[in-house]
Amino acid sequence: MDSGDVNAPHSMGTTIIGVTYDGGVVLGADSRTSTGMYVANRASDKITQLTDNVYVCRSGSAADSQIVSDYVRYFLHQHTIQLGQPSTVKVAANLVRLLSYNNKNMLQTGLIVGGWDKYEGGKIYGIPLGGTVLELPFTIGGSGSSYLYGFFDQAWKEGMTREEAEQLVVKAVSLAIARDGASGGVVRTVTINKDGVTRKFYPGDTLPLWHEEMEPQNSLLDTLSAASPEPMVS
Amino acid sequence: MNVADSAPAMNNLLASNADSQRTLYPYVTGTSVVGIKYKDGILLAADMGGSYGSTLRYKTVERLKSVGKHSIIGASGEISDFQEIMRYLDELILYDNMWDDGNSLGPKEVHNYLTRVMYNRRNKFNPLWNSLVLGGVKNGQKHLGTVNMIGVHYEDNHVATGFGNHLARPILRDEWHENLTFEEGVKLLEKCMRVLLYRDRSAVNKLQIARITEDGVAVFPPYSLKTFWNFNAFQNPTVGAEGSW
């Protein structure tokens, strides 16, 4: 029987989402990092800052995604100093691409770069395994995203407001967490627009309940006294 | 002039020298490209799908691009490698323009360049995982060719990649002729693309057609094809043989 290999590489099973709305972008992610079957970190932060105005959602190997975002942050910092103004989202995405593409044999990380700059406004770039870059109105990634293709096909629409976009992202990550064993914990969102960056945190009890999920309670004892005292017997 | 390696210093920071010595596998892939010669030039067709294994993950990937003034390229296979090839080609055309000598690279030259790149990568066991179609017109001469990840290259009146080889080329062998009009050419390509849509699991119903003539390049906007399912034979195919398909 597999006893949970503590030496297995840390992988962020993950659900990550990036969505554009009228005026900016919303990035969302779950918070589970697993080592084999064990949850190494139940409150990870997978939405990582690259610059003041550009963030990246990380999925796949925790180590690979961390090192890639560290390098890109380093390069972007120098680029910003040289440029004399905030970097564009496109430049950040291309730097991620260079690392992902040129090291495709060794890396196992899918990334979503999102941000706001004064030239193009809010932009989302999907950079899956292999290093393809695609500028998209929205994109999903990580193992949990498998459960969201149908959801987004139906629920996505162009020109959402900030609130609509945030609600959509939270609902989607929450749905993925319900079905993907490798995703879990809390839902984190980061919203970026011309006014800056806002981080939000949605603990499990604030999320809606889905099929076959029950309202959490403190103890059996709470319900025993209230409702019928006889347990189910077959 | 080393066209393909303009930032060697950055390359060492951004890519390790080890581990580039092996054949990889594709992640995000495009399926068939079909190309034909017609009266005024070349027509290329490809759908806009980027598959991730069996998942039809991206449905608006442009796989037909213009190259300079005289050529168009269509790519199937790994999209990240196609994006890199486009960077090589854009640099090639840029240097060509910088000569400012009134000459410009025609489709034959671009095809040859691509062939050399693909074959040399293959020899180093580090291929660009693509099958490419390259078409163009220069000085009245039409050119249509293909080159793939192992460096196999040839020219013909009609070419295709991937599934297109098996499904489209037989149709083209039967129905292609010299001096097709634009309308006939488009209808012929659409016939091929419809069969591919029916029979290729990685096809998506959103395609683009690109045209190149002596006057220039046009990549037409994306559109979807009608499909036909209302045949009597499709209504109750297992009557009399329950469990069959």
Side-chain angles (χ1 to χ4, degrees):
Chain A
M1 182 149 36
D2 180 22
S3 57
D5 182 7
V6 294
N7 290 319
H10 279 43
S11 147
M12 298 167 315
T14 306
T15 306
I16 50 173
I17 302 179
V19 145
T20 59
Y21 71 91
D22 187 21
V25 299
V26 180
L27 299 176
D30 74 309
S31 71
R32 176 170 290 185
T33 304
S34 29
T35 338
M37 280 285 153
Y38 176 66
V39 177
N41 186 351
R42 66 181 171 103
S44 342
D45 182 9
K46 303 180 187 182
I47 309 177
T48 303
Q49 185 183 31
L50 295 179
T51 67
D52 289 342
N53 57 318
V54 183
Y55 279 64
V56 61
C57 293
R58 301 181 291 109
S59 78
S61 158
D64 288 351
S65 66
Q66 277 174 358
I67 203 73
V68 167
S69 55
D70 285 349
Y71 269 117
V72 174
R73 190 179 314 115
Y74 168 68
F75 291 136
L76 277 176
H77 187 205
Q78 292 180 78
H79 173 62
T80 304
I81 290 169
Q82 233 180 356
L83 198 64
Q85 60 182 39
S87 158
T88 59
V89 190
K90 192 177 220 172
V91 165
N94 196 44
L95 281 168
V96 175
R97 180 193 76 90
L98 282 171
L99 285 163
S100 292
Y101 181 74
N102 289 322
N103 296 291
K104 63 161 77 187
N105 288 330
M106 290 174 287
L107 293 174
Q108 199 186 50
T109 173
L111 302 153
I112 299 178
V113 176
W116 185 95
D117 61 58
K118 69 184 188 197
Y119 299 104
E120 303 265 12
K123 285 289 178 191
I124 292 287
Y125 291 88
I127 308 174
L129 260 47
T132 311
V133 188
L134 291 166
E135 198 252 287
L136 300 158
F138 75 92
T139 191
I140 55 181
S143 56
S145 69
S146 306
Y147 307 97
L148 297 177
Y149 286 99
F151 174 69
F152 272 92
D153 275 348
Q154 186 224 50
W156 161 263
K157 40 192 205 342
E158 198 77 47
M160 287 187 289
T161 65
R162 177 199 171 135
E163 287 69 32
E164 285 175 326
E166 278 180 11
Q167 286 317 304
L168 183 68
V169 167
V170 172
K171 186 174 184 183
V173 178
S174 158
L175 280 167
I177 286 173
R179 290 295 184 176
D180 179 28
S183 299
V186 305
V187 180
R188 295 192 195 275
T189 63
V190 170
T191 305
I192 314 173
N193 52 33
K194 67 170 169 33
D195 302 318
V197 178
T198 314
R199 264 194 180 280
K200 289 209 175 120
F201 170 83
Y202 299 84
D205 39 302
T206 63
L207 300 171
L209 289 168
W210 305 116
H211 182 50
E212 288 179 315
E213 289 181 342
M214 297 184 69
E215 192 68 52
Q217 59 195 64
N218 282 321
S219 163
L220 170 68
L221 305 173
D222 295 342
T223 39
L224 266 186
S225 37
S228 148
E230 296 306 315
M232 291 196 320
V233 176
S234 56
Chain B
M1 183 199 328
N2 192 346
V3 181
D5 195 18
S6 51
M10 198 67 150
N11 253 332
N12 261 322
L13 284 172
L14 291 165
S16 164
N17 284 323
D19 225 32
S20 59
Q21 296 300 322
R22 75 157 77 118
T23 305
L24 359 90
Y25 28 79
Y27 291 102
V28 182
T29 54
T31 185
S32 321
V33 179
V34 188
I36 55 175
K37 285 188 185 171
Y38 80 107
K39 179 159 67 70
D40 305 325
I42 313 289
L43 286 169
L44 253 51
D47 72 16
M48 300 192 79
S51 297
Y52 190 78
S54 57
T55 302
L56 304 176
R57 183 154 185 194
Y58 302 107
K59 295 188 182 179
T60 314
V61 178
E62 289 191 15
R63 299 195 290 117
L64 302 174
K65 299 271 187 190
S66 68
V67 181
K69 293 190 294 279
H70 303 289
S71 314
I72 41 177
I73 185 173
S76 61
E78 169 66 44
I79 300 297
S80 65
D81 285 344
F82 175 49
Q83 291 180 339
E84 193 75 352
I85 286 169
M86 284 316 299
R87 283 174 170 267
Y88 289 152
L89 288 175
D90 289 340
E91 195 177 26
L92 183 74
I93 299 298
L94 176 69
Y95 276 91
D96 185 43
N97 290 338
M98 278 162 62
W99 281 107
D100 199 24
D101 57 1
N103 281 318
S104 49
L105 290 171
K108 275 197 197 309
E109 290 89 70
V110 176
H111 185 209
N112 181 250
Y113 169 79
L114 284 170
T115 302
R116 291 299 105 213
V117 169
M118 302 298 272
Y119 184 59
N120 277 292
R121 288 285 297 254
R122 167 264 192 193
N123 284 339
K124 296 192 284 191
F125 284 92
N126 184 209
L128 289 160
W129 206 286
N130 297 108
S131 294
L132 307 167
V133 171
L134 197 292
V137 195
K138 190 163 175 235
N139 299 332
Q141 291 267 42
K142 295 189 282 244
H143 171 94
L144 179 62
T146 181
V147 56
N148 67 14
M149 63 186 271
I150 57 173
V152 171
H153 60 284
Y154 54 88
E155 297 165 39
D156 208 341
N157 292 319
H158 43 79
V159 294
T161 68
F163 255 64
N165 275 308
H166 301 103
L167 298 174
R169 284 175 80 201
I171 299 175
L172 295 170
R173 276 187 212 117
D174 212 26
E175 301 189 21
W176 184 92
H177 57 84
E178 203 85 45
N179 294 319
L180 285 165
T181 65
F182 173 70
E183 287 74 25
E184 287 172 331
V186 169
K187 285 230 168 67
L188 186 52
L189 282 178
E190 285 174 346
K191 187 171 187 180
C192 295
M193 296 305 286
R194 185 172 292 110
V195 171
L196 288 166
L197 184 57
Y198 287 141
R199 298 294 183 173
D200 180 359
R201 264 176 48 166
S202 36
V204 306
N205 195 0
K206 191 186 212 176
L207 64 141
Q208 275 188 306
I209 291 195
R211 175 190 69 196
I212 182 162
T213 61
E214 193 74 54
D215 303 326
V217 177
V219 180
F220 295 103
Y223 68 106
S224 291
L225 288 172
K226 285 215 165 120
T227 53
F228 305 98
W229 303 89
N230 225 350
F231 298 101
N232 284 329
F234 287 5
Q235 300 310 8
N236 284 308
T238 60
V239 161
E242 286 306 320
S244 71
W245 51 279

